[in-house]
Amino acid sequence: MALESLASVSLQRPAEAKHTDITTYRRHFGPWLQARTGESFTTVALMREPVEWLRSWYRFKLRDDLDDPQHAMLGMPFAAFASRYANPDGPRRLGIGTQTDFLTNGDDRVDRIFRYEDIDSFVEFLEGRLDCAIELPRINVPPSVDVHLDPEVEEMLRKAMARDLKLYDSLAAANPFQALAARAGRLA
């Protein structure tokens, strides 16, 4: 939304086009854009710390309950949602997949992946590439709810999210002390 006024093309709907995984981009959008412009594009993405990402998905899905009282999230605590996600078919059944599947395909991956928690580096990258100042609006804010997990449930979830955690840990943090502190907090 912050860059829409600078864009020649902006995909808003359907959501599948707005939120395009790397495989779909490489197969459809990338070739189409290159054919139209004669240039290749750098793909960029933000990746959230995996458990925080799932917390965000949970809050987002709860918001749907306001529009649909029969929604499947009605009365489901985060621990139950996290346990469902941790099942082998959980990401697919919940309709949210994994960040690794979204950002990578075998050896191929998004060109530049930034940690969501270090969004300032992402904005700085975009400002340098686009030669303009970027102001991020606060939009799409889900409701505040309890997303606490007991240690055993969180451990089970982290095992199920091992691929996402490995990818996330491979991303360089702007401040190496932040990365060390985050890892120490996860180990404690």
Side-chain angles (χ1 to χ4, degrees):
M1 194 171 233
L3 301 175
E4 192 171 2
S5 65
L6 301 173
S8 298
V9 175
S10 174
L11 299 172
Q12 298 297 316
R13 288 180 184 78
E16 294 79 21
K18 181 179 173 184
H19 300 288
T20 301
D21 63 48
I22 192 61
T23 303
T24 304
Y25 175 82
R26 298 274 196 243
R27 186 176 301 136
H28 301 289
F29 295 116
W32 181 80
L33 287 168
Q34 189 164 10
R36 298 296 179 265
T37 65
E39 299 188 28
S40 61
F41 289 76
T42 300
T43 55
V44 296
L46 290 165
M47 181 180 187
R48 257 192 144 137
E49 190 283 328
V51 176
E52 291 303 315
W53 172 80
L54 193 64
R55 285 182 169 111
S56 178
W57 260 114
Y58 173 74
R59 288 188 299 262
F60 175 77
K61 285 184 164 286
L62 280 178
R63 185 171 56 192
D64 289 348
D65 284 347
L66 301 175
D67 298 328
D68 180 3
Q70 302 303 315
H71 194 267
M73 295 294 293
L74 190 63
M76 183 187 303
F78 180 61
F81 183 77
S83 294
R84 284 187 185 181
Y85 185 86
N87 285 323
D89 65 341
R92 182 190 56 77
R93 290 189 72 208
L94 288 171
I96 57 179
T98 70
Q99 290 183 92
T100 301
D101 289 343
F102 193 87
L103 300 170
T104 69
N105 181 10
D107 291 335
D108 188 21
R109 66 180 254 176
V110 170
D111 298 319
R112 295 289 307 267
I113 304 172
F114 295 85
R115 289 180 176 199
Y116 178 85
E117 296 76 13
D118 185 22
I119 201 164
D120 291 341
S121 292
F122 176 67
V123 170
E124 187 177 301
F125 171 82
L126 290 176
E127 287 177 338
R129 287 289 181 102
L130 301 173
D131 193 30
C132 67
I134 296 173
E135 191 91 12
L136 296 180
R138 187 152 166 80
I139 57 169
N140 201 17
V141 179
S144 180
V145 295
D146 180 18
V147 288
H148 170 77
L149 287 176
D150 290 332
E152 58 276 357
V153 176
E154 185 165 343
E155 182 180 337
M156 173 186 63
L157 180 60
R158 287 187 178 281
K159 284 180 183 174
M161 299 177 108
R163 290 176 53 231
D164 281 1
L165 287 162
K166 182 178 179 183
L167 177 60
Y168 181 80
D169 286 343
S170 76
L171 304 177
N175 178 347
F177 297 110
Q178 276 181 315
L180 290 173
R183 282 192 200 100
R186 254 198 321 269
L187 297 174

